[in-house]
Amino acid sequence: MFKHFIPNEYLPSVFDLNLEDLYERNIKGIITDLDNTLVEWDKPEATPELLDWMYFVKQQGFQVTIVSNNNKERVSTFSEPTGIQFIHSAKKPMGKAFRKACKNMGLKKSEVLVMGDQVLTDVVGGNRAGFYTVLVVPVGQGDGVFTKLNRKVERRVLNRLKQKGLIQWEE
């Protein structure tokens, strides 16, 4: 029952993603969440550090697609200046948007990872759809209303997983 809640990796941030390791494992694509994964949920633009990272990731041959539950205006305002493909109103944890992103990149599931800051949307959705999943620490302290509710449930789930010895990291 708990397997869908456990990411394959847990990292402090997107910047800690080991691209060499991904390349060796034949990962060619990254599906990433936007809000509190790449930037704070209420920040419309990428930071200079994030822009450098995204440029570097693309230079290393990886494809990137943002899959977000947020609306088109929010996601396009962020994505279009970066040149990164996006899917908005994704309805995560449903798997349709993850599969669409994979298809749009022309890659197999085994060649793509899903990365995000929420267990209940990004990790559960990615795991249920059959992708390698990476959970990152949220970049900001604030959240939207629905995310605040998700975080309360998420804390309970993560505490239960720790009690059962299924995860070892510290939050």
Side-chain angles (χ1 to χ4, degrees), residues 31-103:
I31 295 172
T32 182
D33 179 46
L34 172 57
D35 295 318
N36 273 341
T37 299
L38 299 177
V39 293
E40 293 177 46
W41 72 279
D42 57 349
K43 301 293 185 216
E45 298 172 353
T47 64
E49 182 183 27
L50 183 62
L51 288 171
D52 289 346
W53 180 81
M54 288 191 279
Y55 177 78
F56 181 73
V57 168
K58 288 196 256 182
Q59 288 295 345
Q60 298 304 306
F62 293 93
Q63 294 185 61
V64 180
T65 300
I66 293 171
V67 173
S68 175
N69 283 346
N70 216 320
N71 62 51
K72 183 178 183 178
E73 182 181 352
R74 160 67 175 135
V75 184
S76 66
T77 296
F78 176 89
S79 300
E80 287 174 357
T82 67
I84 292 185
Q85 299 180 64
F86 66 91
I87 296 172
H88 64 88
S89 307
K91 299 180 183 167
K92 296 182 288 182
M94 304 301 288
K96 184 177 180 180
F98 296 118
R99 290 187 296 273
K100 182 179 178 183
C102 188
K103 183 179 178 183

Side-chain angles (χ1 to χ4, degrees), residues 104-116:
N104 289 350
M105 290 188 281
L107 300 172
K108 301 176 204 165
K109 284 183 189 181
S110 62
E111 298 173 318
V112 177
L113 70 80
V114 171
M115 176 172 59

